[in-house]
Amino acid sequence: MKAGAGIFDLDGVLVDTARFHYLAWNELAAELGFEFTMVHNERLKGVSRMDSLEILLEIGNIQLSAGEKNLMAERKNSRYLQYVDAMTEQDILPGVITFLQKMRESGKRIALGSVSKNARIILQRTGMIGFFDAIVDGTLISKAKPHPEVFLTGAGLMNLPPEACVVFEDAVAGIEAAHRAGMKCVGVGDASILNQADLIISGFHGILPEHIPL
Ligand code: BG6
Ligand code: MG
């Protein structure tokens, strides 16, 4: 890595919680009487909880009052938290810990850039929280990705200019957010979906910071 810092998305990059978000939304959609597929789910990645619900309701062509929407969002979150409650360090994606350790050893800074309000609980449960110089989550920002606020806030907390940071993302909205923040972005996941990233890796397994030419 040439950059002095990495800003990591959480869900789907460091832990497999993107799957739990999908399962929780999928169960809600089933109750509402329509099918919510993994293809639909790509549109929800990096998007805030309420915006995700709006997209879900649009897919199911369902109208709800503001009060009903709040209840739905709460229900989704309690289901999601049932999955999160069972998480341990075993749920950290392969290669992540080694990658973060090597970054630390080479003096790179590490920040979290997630729009999730549950990010700190997950970092604590998985024992990763000690790696981070700065944590930006959904409680600190008001605009979800693709807005660059989450990443610009992360750079600000580390006292670094945007160009000193590389973002790691599994969401299309997250790649756009990184570019709008003036940062290079490594897409983590499926190359056919993340084709706007500056570099794509399928995951961190076998990947070290020196393999990232950004
Ligand atoms: C993002 C996920 O990290 O967090 C989205 O990619 C999710 O799918 C968003 O909707 C908000 O998460 P939470 O935990 O605050 O509902
Ligand atoms: Mg993600």
Side-chain angles (χ1 to χ4, degrees), residues 31-180:
E31 278 174 25
L32 292 167
F34 67 96
E35 198 194 351
F36 176 69
T37 67
M38 307 256 299
V39 174
H40 289 139
N41 190 55
E42 285 304 318
R43 290 176 61 194
L44 270 52
K45 290 187 177 172
V47 177
S48 73
R49 195 180 307 164
M50 285 316 279
D51 289 349
S52 297
L53 177 64
E54 295 292 349
I55 296 172
L56 186 95
L57 294 175
E58 181 199 303
I59 291 166
N61 197 17
I62 288 175
Q63 272 88 39
L64 295 179
S65 68
E68 288 168 329
K69 284 181 190 170
N70 284 335
L71 283 176
M72 282 287 163
E74 272 172 36
R75 268 190 32 220
K76 183 268 171 175
N77 195 47
S78 359
R79 276 158 197 266
Y80 176 68
L81 286 177
Q82 282 174 7
Y83 292 111
V84 168
D85 268 348
M87 283 179 87
T88 67
E89 61 198 37
Q90 303 293 325
D91 293 286
I92 299 172
L93 286 165
V96 164
I97 293 294
T98 307
F99 192 90
L100 295 177
Q101 271 165 352
K102 296 283 175 201
M103 278 189 70
R104 279 235 156 271
E105 279 167 28
S106 54
K108 308 277 184 199
R109 314 286 296 278
I110 302 174
L112 190 86
S114 167
V115 305
S116 169
K117 295 192 161 92
N118 296 306
R120 271 182 186 270
I121 311 174
I122 294 170
L123 291 181
Q124 272 156 356
R125 283 219 170 274
T126 54
M128 275 190 291
I129 200 153
F131 279 111
F132 294 88
D133 298 296
I135 295 176
V136 182
D137 65 12
T139 66
L140 274 191
I141 51 121
S142 59
K143 295 178 198 81
K145 301 163 189 175
H147 195 281
E149 182 184 8
V150 61
F151 296 135
L152 290 172
T153 306
L157 286 175
M158 294 188 286
N159 286 318
L160 289 173
E163 59 275 16
C165 304
V166 167
V167 169
F168 295 82
E169 257 296 345
D170 71 321
V172 172
I175 297 169
E176 185 183 334
H179 286 158
R180 281 167 67 181

